[in-house]
Amino acid sequence: MDMLMFKLDKSTEKPLYDQLYSGIKNAIIHKQIGVGTKLPSKRKLADFLNISQTTIEIAYAQLLAEGFIASKPRVGFFVEEIDELPYVQKEILELPEARNVKRSFEFDFHPGKIDGDSFPFSLWRKYAKDLFDTGSKEFLQIGEPQGEYALRAEIANYLYQSRGIVCRPEQIVIGSGTEHLLPMILRLLENDSKFALENPGYSAIPRIHLQETAIPVPVDEDGLVIDELEKTNANVVYITPSHQFPTGAVLSATRRTQLLKWAAKDENRYIIEDDYDSEFRYTGKPIPALHGLDQNNKVIYISTFTKSLMPSLRVAYLVLPPRLLRKYKETFSYYSATVPRFDQHILASFMRDGHFSKHLNRMRKIYSKKHDKITQIFAADYPDVRITGDQAGMHILISVPLRKGEDELKQMAAENNIAIYPISDYLLGPIDYEDPTFLLGFGGIPLEGIEKGIHQLMACWGVKKVESRLP
C-alpha cells in the first residue's frame, strides 16, 4: 500500500478522483510504480484512503482509458509500459506585452464601415429567438453544401426584383465571404487560366494566389478599358462594373457590350462580376447587373450582405453559369456550407417577410444624406479638393492639391486621430496621380460628425477653408 499513499486534500475544489488519478499517473510516469505492478482493489484502496469506491472507480477508469493501466477480468488492474517521450528543456521566451493592434480613431473614413446605429437589432433578435425557440433539431445537422435552399430561394427572388438577374436557387452557392468563394471559382476554371484585374482594384483578390500572375488592366471614367483587356492573353476578368472599386466609375453601356462580346469569343472566357454595393446609388436609375445582359452564360455573379446588412454576418453568394454548376457539383460534392445554418435561416426569414427591402430603403436615405453632406462641404469650403466616384456607394475619392506624399498625409491624419486610406493601397500596377488621392468612406461616420471630421482632416493637412462667398 505504500506506493499509493497519496496525500489527498479534501479541502480543495479539485475533486478527489482527479487528485488520485494524477497521483497514480505521475507515479507511473516517474517509475515509482513498476510496469506489471498490480494495483490495489477498489475496496481495499477505498478503505485505506478513507474515500468512496466510486472515487476509486472513476480514477481507475480514466487511467484505463489513457492506457496507463490494463484490466484483467476477475484479477485486477496492472500497470502498463509507457513509451517515454523525449524531454526537451523549453526555452523561456520574453513575450511582448499584450497590446491592442487595431487602433481606435475619432474619425475612421474606412470605405468598408457601415452605419451601425441604424441596424434593426430588435427585429434581428426576434427572428433569432423565434428560430431557437422552435427547437429545430435538424438545424444541428450539416446542411446542404451550397447553402440552405430557403436562403438561396430568397436571394434568387431578390436578384430578379432588384438586379434583373434570372437564375434558379440551384445556381446559387453561399459562402462565408468573397475570400472564401473566389478560391472555389478559381478551382472551377481551367488551371492555365490567365486573370485580368482592374487597376486600381479590390485589393484582396491578388492576395488569394494571383499576386505574380494577375494582369492589371487600367480603369478610366467609363470603367475598365476593354481595348486594353483585349491586348492581353487573359481569359478571365474580375470586374466591379456597377460601381468600380475604388474609383467609383460605372462601366459604360458601350463597354458592357464590348466586354460581353470579348467573353463570347472563346468558350473558356469568363467574367467575374462583383456587385458589392449596387444597392446604394444616389443619382439616376440603378445600374443593371452585367449578368442580366449576358446571353451566353459567361458571367459569374458574386455579391455579399457586407454593405447592405453588416460585415460581420459573413454571408456572400455567387451565381454559377450552368456549365460551371455541373463542374461545381463534381468538384465540391464533399464540401460543407461555411455559414452556420441558423444564420442562414434568420437571414432567409428576414428577407422573406420584406424586412430586408425595408432596411435597404431606410439605409439608402441615411447614406444619401451623408453623401450629400460630405459633397456639399467640399464644394462650399474646399473647392480645390477634387471629388470623383460620388454617384454611388459609401465612399468617394478626394484628390488634394498638396505637394506631400500619401504616406506622409496618412501619418499626419493619424496623429490627429483620423484614419484615411490612400488609393495606392489598391494599386496592382504603377499609376501616377497628379495629386495625393484618398478613399473617404462615410458609412461609419455619424451624420452630425461628418462636418467636424472633414474640417479636422483638412486642417491637419493645412488645406484652408475658403471664406464665405455670401455678401
Side-chain angles (χ1 to χ4, degrees):
M1 285 291 188
D2 290 347
M3 66 178 179
L4 293 179
M5 290 184 66
F6 304 112
K7 186 177 182 181
L8 302 181
D9 188 350
K10 298 181 180 181
S11 65
T12 67
E13 293 183 0
K14 187 174 183 179
L16 293 176
Y17 72 83
D18 198 6
Q19 295 182 46
L20 181 61
Y21 150 79
S22 298
I24 298 175
K25 181 181 76 170
N26 290 332
I28 293 172
I29 290 173
H30 293 99
K31 309 297 185 184
Q32 294 169 349
I33 305 177
V35 174
T37 301
K38 182 177 184 296
L39 297 185
S41 69
K42 289 179 281 188
R43 181 183 60 79
K44 289 183 178 179
L45 187 56
D47 291 342
F48 183 79
L49 296 176
N50 193 25
I51 56 178
S52 72
Q53 288 190 42
T54 302
T55 299
I56 310 295
E57 188 173 353
I58 295 173
Y60 277 11
Q62 185 62 33
L63 292 165
L64 186 66
E66 294 184 18
F68 287 100
I69 61 176
S71 173
K72 293 182 181 179
R74 294 185 296 275
V75 178
F77 296 96
F78 296 82
V79 174
E80 286 279 84
E81 184 172 2
I82 307 297
D83 290 339
E84 292 187 21
L85 293 174
Y87 179 77
V88 178
Q89 179 67 43
K90 289 184 178 180
E91 182 183 355
I92 300 176
L93 301 176
E94 290 292 332
L95 297 177
E97 291 185 13
R99 55 191 177 92
N100 185 7
V101 176
K102 194 165 184 178
R103 177 181 166 185
S104 178
F105 294 89
E106 181 182 3
F107 297 103
D108 189 346
F109 289 103
H110 193 283
K113 287 191 173 290
I114 66 164
D115 190 312
D117 293 336
S118 302
F119 185 78
F121 281 104
S122 57
L123 262 176
W124 196 265
R125 189 184 307 115
K126 175 186 178 300
Y127 281 104
K129 184 177 183 298
D130 290 347
L131 188 65
F132 282 99
D133 284 351
T134 57
S136 301
K137 294 180 182 179
E138 69 270 18
F139 293 158
L140 300 178
Q141 308 300 332
I142 294 175
E144 299 173 74
Q146 288 181 229
E148 298 298 288
Y149 189 87
L151 179 55
R152 288 186 281 134
E154 292 301 328
I155 290 173
N157 181 58
Y158 165 72
L159 291 176
Y160 176 71
Q161 299 291 338
S162 66
R163 307 298 293 131
I165 293 176
V166 179
C167 68
R168 304 188 313 277
E170 289 80 5
Q171 291 176 257
I172 295 173
V173 179
I174 294 170
S176 56
T178 303
E179 297 85 353
H180 166 74
L181 293 176
L182 278 170
M184 297 177 70
I185 295 175
L186 300 185
R187 280 194 62 187
L188 293 177
L189 300 173
E190 302 299 326
N191 291 332
D192 58 351
S193 291
K194 303 294 183 184
F195 289 80
L197 307 176
E198 298 168 315
N199 184 35
Y202 178 43
S203 61
I205 304 306
R207 294 177 194 163
I208 293 173
H209 91 173
L210 303 173
Q211 188 70 51
E212 302 299 328
T213 60
I215 304 168
V217 178
V219 173
D220 63 17
E221 63 275 6
D222 289 325
L224 187 77
V225 182
I226 310 302
D227 290 343
E228 294 298 321
L229 171 65
E230 291 176 338
K231 294 176 184 177
T232 72
N233 63 344
N235 65 300
V236 182
V237 60
Y238 185 99
I239 186 171
T240 50
S242 297
H243 184 232
Q244 202 278 330
F245 187 89
T247 68
V250 175
L251 191 68
S252 66
T254 300
R255 291 191 182 175
R256 285 168 182 258
T257 303
Q258 275 185 281
L259 184 59
L260 290 170
K261 285 183 177 179
W262 169 86
K265 289 177 183 177
D266 190 309
E267 67 174 0
N268 291 322
R269 285 185 178 178
Y270 284 98
I271 301 164
I272 303 174
E273 177 183 15
D274 188 341
D275 208 24
Y276 70 101
D277 71 349
S278 60
E279 296 90 355
F280 305 111
R281 183 166 177 78
Y282 310 118
T283 58
K285 296 180 180 180
I287 304 298
L290 196 63
H291 188 287
L293 306 174
D294 178 27
Q295 301 297 316
N296 298 296
N297 293 317
K298 289 294 185 177
V299 177
I300 304 166
Y301 182 90
I302 189 167
S303 190
T304 78
F305 291 92
T306 295
K307 297 291 183 75
S308 56
L309 273 175
M310 49 180 159
S312 63
L313 185 60
R314 304 307 298 157
V315 175
Y317 56 91
L318 56 84
V319 180
L320 289 174
R323 179 185 171 196
L324 292 182
L325 180 61
R326 289 190 291 272
K327 192 169 181 180
Y328 168 86
K329 290 187 177 296
E330 295 170 0
T331 307
F332 296 103
S333 59
Y334 60 93
Y335 264 46
S336 298
T338 53
V339 180
R341 297 185 71 190
F342 283 98
D343 289 348
Q344 293 187 57
H345 281 278
I346 293 170
L347 178 55
S349 299
F350 190 76
M351 297 179 75
R352 180 198 64 216
D353 295 343
H355 295 300
F356 181 60
S357 296
K358 292 176 183 176
H359 176 67
L360 281 181
N361 289 334
R362 184 168 58 251
M363 297 314 297
R364 282 191 196 100
K365 294 175 183 177
I366 290 172
Y367 291 136
S368 180
K369 288 180 181 179
K370 292 184 178 185
H371 166 273
D372 292 348
K373 181 80 170 177
I374 207 166
T375 53
Q376 288 166 7
I377 292 170
F378 277 108
D381 298 337
Y382 308 100
D384 291 338
V385 176
R386 188 165 64 92
I387 294 177
T388 53
D390 57 337
Q391 296 180 344
M394 293 154 62
H395 75 273
I396 62 172
L397 285 187
I398 59 169
S399 296
V400 190
L402 295 173
R403 301 278 69 88
K404 291 185 173 68
E406 288 178 353
D407 289 342
E408 183 182 356
L409 292 173
K410 180 180 178 180
Q411 182 59 35
M412 290 170 66
E415 290 170 358
N416 284 271
N417 214 14
I418 301 171
I420 189 77
Y421 303 87
I423 198 168
S424 56
D425 289 350
Y426 304 92
L427 296 184
L428 304 178
I431 297 178
D432 289 329
Y433 287 91
E434 184 178 348
D435 295 316
T437 302
F438 294 87
L439 283 74
L440 201 70
F442 51 82
I445 307 291
L447 180 64
E448 61 275 10
I450 285 177
E451 186 166 7
K452 179 184 176 184
I454 293 174
H455 290 324
Q456 200 164 302
L457 176 64
M458 294 297 108
C460 82
W461 283 348
V463 179
K464 296 190 180 300
K465 178 181 175 182
V466 300
E467 296 297 328
S468 173
R469 299 171 187 175
L470 296 175

